[in-house]
mmCIF file of all heavy atoms in Angstrom:
data_model
loop_
_atom_site.group_PDB
_atom_site.id
_atom_site.type_symbol
_atom_site.label_atom_id
_atom_site.label_comp_id
_atom_site.label_asym_id
_atom_site.label_seq_id
_atom_site.Cartn_x
_atom_site.Cartn_y
_atom_site.Cartn_z
ATOM 1 N N GLY E 71 119.658 50.140 -73.486
ATOM 2 C CA GLY E 71 118.817 51.316 -73.615
ATOM 3 C C GLY E 71 117.407 50.949 -73.998
ATOM 4 O O GLY E 71 117.142 49.843 -74.482
ATOM 5 N N HIS E 72 116.467 51.869 -73.758
ATOM 6 C CA HIS E 72 115.073 51.616 -74.125
ATOM 7 C C HIS E 72 114.325 52.937 -74.220
ATOM 8 O O HIS E 72 114.812 53.996 -73.781
ATOM 9 C CB HIS E 72 114.402 50.706 -73.089
ATOM 10 C CG HIS E 72 114.259 51.314 -71.731
ATOM 11 N ND1 HIS E 72 113.095 51.870 -71.257
ATOM 12 C CD2 HIS E 72 115.181 51.469 -70.720
ATOM 13 C CE1 HIS E 72 113.279 52.328 -70.029
ATOM 14 N NE2 HIS E 72 114.522 52.096 -69.668
ATOM 15 N N GLY E 73 113.119 52.883 -74.796
ATOM 16 C CA GLY E 73 112.295 54.086 -74.931
ATOM 17 C C GLY E 73 110.946 53.745 -75.520
ATOM 18 O O GLY E 73 110.734 52.634 -76.039
ATOM 19 N N ASN E 74 110.058 54.715 -75.474
ATOM 20 C CA ASN E 74 108.723 54.506 -76.045
ATOM 21 C C ASN E 74 108.735 54.578 -77.562
ATOM 22 O O ASN E 74 107.768 54.160 -78.217
ATOM 23 C CB ASN E 74 107.745 55.563 -75.496
ATOM 24 C CG ASN E 74 107.464 55.345 -74.020
ATOM 25 O OD1 ASN E 74 107.452 54.211 -73.536
ATOM 26 N ND2 ASN E 74 107.269 56.429 -73.281
ATOM 27 N N THR E 75 109.789 55.118 -78.135
ATOM 28 C CA THR E 75 109.939 55.170 -79.593
ATOM 29 C C THR E 75 111.349 54.718 -79.953
ATOM 30 O O THR E 75 112.249 54.638 -79.092
ATOM 31 C CB THR E 75 109.714 56.597 -80.120
ATOM 32 O OG1 THR E 75 110.761 57.450 -79.595
ATOM 33 C CG2 THR E 75 108.348 57.140 -79.720
ATOM 34 N N ILE E 76 111.577 54.448 -81.239
ATOM 35 C CA ILE E 76 112.905 54.079 -81.714
ATOM 36 C C ILE E 76 113.899 55.194 -81.408
ATOM 37 O O ILE E 76 115.038 54.954 -80.982
ATOM 38 C CB ILE E 76 112.885 53.791 -83.235
ATOM 39 C CG1 ILE E 76 112.028 52.548 -83.555
ATOM 40 C CG2 ILE E 76 114.303 53.604 -83.770
ATOM 41 C CD1 ILE E 76 112.624 51.252 -83.089
ATOM 42 N N GLU E 77 113.470 56.433 -81.610
ATOM 43 C CA GLU E 77 114.354 57.588 -81.379
ATOM 44 C C GLU E 77 114.754 57.680 -79.900
ATOM 45 O O GLU E 77 115.928 57.924 -79.573
ATOM 46 C CB GLU E 77 113.663 58.881 -81.830
ATOM 47 C CG GLU E 77 113.438 58.994 -83.339
ATOM 48 C CD GLU E 77 112.313 58.099 -83.844
ATOM 49 O OE1 GLU E 77 111.453 57.683 -83.007
ATOM 50 O OE2 GLU E 77 112.301 57.790 -85.056
ATOM 51 N N GLU E 78 113.792 57.500 -79.001
ATOM 52 C CA GLU E 78 114.092 57.544 -77.569
ATOM 53 C C GLU E 78 115.046 56.425 -77.174
ATOM 54 O O GLU E 78 115.947 56.607 -76.348
ATOM 55 C CB GLU E 78 112.806 57.446 -76.755
ATOM 56 C CG GLU E 78 111.934 58.696 -76.766
ATOM 57 C CD GLU E 78 110.719 58.542 -75.869
ATOM 58 O OE1 GLU E 78 110.665 57.558 -75.090
ATOM 59 O OE2 GLU E 78 109.826 59.398 -75.958
ATOM 60 N N MET E 79 114.831 55.269 -77.766
ATOM 61 C CA MET E 79 115.713 54.124 -77.471
ATOM 62 C C MET E 79 117.139 54.434 -77.928
ATOM 63 O O MET E 79 118.116 54.195 -77.170
ATOM 64 C CB MET E 79 115.201 52.868 -78.163
ATOM 65 C CG MET E 79 116.047 51.633 -77.968
ATOM 66 S SD MET E 79 117.308 51.421 -79.244
ATOM 67 C CE MET E 79 116.287 51.149 -80.695
ATOM 68 N N HIS E 80 117.324 54.973 -79.145
ATOM 69 C CA HIS E 80 118.665 55.303 -79.636
ATOM 70 C C HIS E 80 119.350 56.325 -78.727
ATOM 71 O O HIS E 80 120.542 56.178 -78.422
ATOM 72 C CB HIS E 80 118.574 55.862 -81.058
ATOM 73 C CG HIS E 80 118.482 54.806 -82.115
ATOM 74 N ND1 HIS E 80 119.422 53.823 -82.281
ATOM 75 C CD2 HIS E 80 117.538 54.564 -83.070
ATOM 76 C CE1 HIS E 80 119.086 53.013 -83.285
ATOM 77 N NE2 HIS E 80 117.935 53.468 -83.791
ATOM 78 N N GLN E 81 118.618 57.318 -78.278
ATOM 79 C CA GLN E 81 119.217 58.319 -77.401
ATOM 80 C C GLN E 81 119.667 57.713 -76.080
ATOM 81 O O GLN E 81 120.753 58.051 -75.552
ATOM 82 C CB GLN E 81 118.201 59.445 -77.141
ATOM 83 C CG GLN E 81 118.781 60.632 -76.373
ATOM 84 C CD GLN E 81 119.982 61.242 -77.075
ATOM 85 O OE1 GLN E 81 119.929 61.589 -78.262
ATOM 86 N NE2 GLN E 81 121.096 61.380 -76.356
ATOM 87 N N ASP E 82 118.870 56.789 -75.551
ATOM 88 C CA ASP E 82 119.237 56.144 -74.301
ATOM 89 C C ASP E 82 120.478 55.269 -74.497
ATOM 90 O O ASP E 82 121.367 55.225 -73.623
ATOM 91 C CB ASP E 82 118.053 55.314 -73.785
ATOM 92 C CG ASP E 82 118.191 54.965 -72.309
ATOM 93 O OD1 ASP E 82 118.791 55.757 -71.563
ATOM 94 O OD2 ASP E 82 117.690 53.890 -71.905
ATOM 95 N N VAL E 83 120.562 54.570 -75.631
ATOM 96 C CA VAL E 83 121.742 53.744 -75.917
ATOM 97 C C VAL E 83 122.987 54.631 -76.018
ATOM 98 O O VAL E 83 124.049 54.284 -75.489
ATOM 99 C CB VAL E 83 121.540 52.934 -77.207
ATOM 100 C CG1 VAL E 83 122.839 52.229 -77.603
ATOM 101 C CG2 VAL E 83 120.428 51.904 -77.038
ATOM 102 N N LYS E 84 122.881 55.766 -76.693
ATOM 103 C CA LYS E 84 124.022 56.683 -76.826
ATOM 104 C C LYS E 84 124.497 57.184 -75.478
ATOM 105 O O LYS E 84 125.706 57.375 -75.254
ATOM 106 C CB LYS E 84 123.632 57.853 -77.732
ATOM 107 C CG LYS E 84 123.450 57.463 -79.188
ATOM 108 C CD LYS E 84 122.944 58.651 -80.016
ATOM 109 C CE LYS E 84 122.713 58.231 -81.470
ATOM 110 N NZ LYS E 84 122.175 59.360 -82.291
ATOM 111 N N ASN E 85 123.551 57.384 -74.565
ATOM 112 C CA ASN E 85 123.919 57.860 -73.218
ATOM 113 C C ASN E 85 124.645 56.793 -72.413
ATOM 114 O O ASN E 85 125.455 57.127 -71.536
ATOM 115 C CB ASN E 85 122.658 58.304 -72.456
ATOM 116 C CG ASN E 85 122.012 59.532 -73.064
ATOM 117 O OD1 ASN E 85 122.657 60.308 -73.774
ATOM 118 N ND2 ASN E 85 120.717 59.702 -72.798
ATOM 119 N N ASN E 86 124.355 55.511 -72.696
ATOM 120 C CA ASN E 86 124.889 54.422 -71.879
ATOM 121 C C ASN E 86 126.047 53.671 -72.513
ATOM 122 O O ASN E 86 126.776 52.950 -71.817
ATOM 123 C CB ASN E 86 123.773 53.412 -71.574
ATOM 124 C CG ASN E 86 122.634 54.013 -70.792
ATOM 125 O OD1 ASN E 86 122.836 54.895 -69.964
ATOM 126 N ND2 ASN E 86 121.417 53.541 -71.059
ATOM 127 N N MET E 87 126.237 53.790 -73.828
ATOM 128 C CA MET E 87 127.112 52.855 -74.553
ATOM 129 C C MET E 87 128.580 52.956 -74.145
ATOM 130 O O MET E 87 129.323 51.965 -74.208
ATOM 131 C CB MET E 87 126.976 53.057 -76.064
ATOM 132 C CG MET E 87 127.515 54.381 -76.581
ATOM 133 S SD MET E 87 127.287 54.503 -78.371
ATOM 134 C CE MET E 87 128.199 56.009 -78.713
ATOM 135 N N HIS E 88 129.027 54.120 -73.701
ATOM 136 C CA HIS E 88 130.450 54.275 -73.380
ATOM 137 C C HIS E 88 130.853 53.401 -72.200
ATOM 138 O O HIS E 88 132.033 53.042 -72.063
ATOM 139 C CB HIS E 88 130.750 55.745 -73.084
ATOM 140 C CG HIS E 88 130.433 56.649 -74.244
ATOM 141 N ND1 HIS E 88 131.143 56.618 -75.435
ATOM 142 C CD2 HIS E 88 129.452 57.588 -74.409
ATOM 143 C CE1 HIS E 88 130.636 57.502 -76.273
ATOM 144 N NE2 HIS E 88 129.596 58.107 -75.679
ATOM 145 N N ASN E 89 129.918 53.053 -71.349
ATOM 146 C CA ASN E 89 130.219 52.191 -70.202
ATOM 147 C C ASN E 89 130.003 50.712 -70.517
ATOM 148 O O ASN E 89 130.306 49.869 -69.675
ATOM 149 C CB ASN E 89 129.315 52.577 -69.026
ATOM 150 C CG ASN E 89 129.536 53.998 -68.551
ATOM 151 O OD1 ASN E 89 130.657 54.476 -68.560
ATOM 152 N ND2 ASN E 89 128.458 54.676 -68.172
ATOM 153 N N LEU E 90 129.466 50.406 -71.712
ATOM 154 C CA LEU E 90 129.060 49.037 -71.998
ATOM 155 C C LEU E 90 129.785 48.394 -73.189
ATOM 156 O O LEU E 90 130.045 47.193 -73.196
ATOM 157 C CB LEU E 90 127.549 48.997 -72.268
ATOM 158 C CG LEU E 90 126.636 49.371 -71.090
ATOM 159 C CD1 LEU E 90 125.196 49.578 -71.569
ATOM 160 C CD2 LEU E 90 126.675 48.288 -70.035
ATOM 161 N N ARG E 91 130.131 49.169 -74.213
ATOM 162 C CA ARG E 91 130.559 48.564 -75.489
ATOM 163 C C ARG E 91 132.030 48.166 -75.524
ATOM 164 O O ARG E 91 132.423 47.337 -76.364
ATOM 165 C CB ARG E 91 130.260 49.505 -76.637
ATOM 166 C CG ARG E 91 131.086 50.766 -76.618
ATOM 167 C CD ARG E 91 130.866 51.630 -77.844
ATOM 168 N NE ARG E 91 131.644 52.857 -77.758
ATOM 169 C CZ ARG E 91 131.759 53.741 -78.731
ATOM 170 N NH1 ARG E 91 131.141 53.523 -79.889
ATOM 171 N NH2 ARG E 91 132.472 54.830 -78.584
#
Side-chain angles (χ1 to χ4, degrees):
H72 66 100
N74 291 328
T75 64
I76 295 290
E77 293 74 21
E78 287 183 11
M79 178 269 294
H80 278 302
Q81 187 57 52
D82 197 31
V83 172
K84 290 175 182 178
N85 293 338
N86 299 326
M87 68 180 188
H88 301 292
N89 299 323
L90 296 168
R91 68 175 178 173

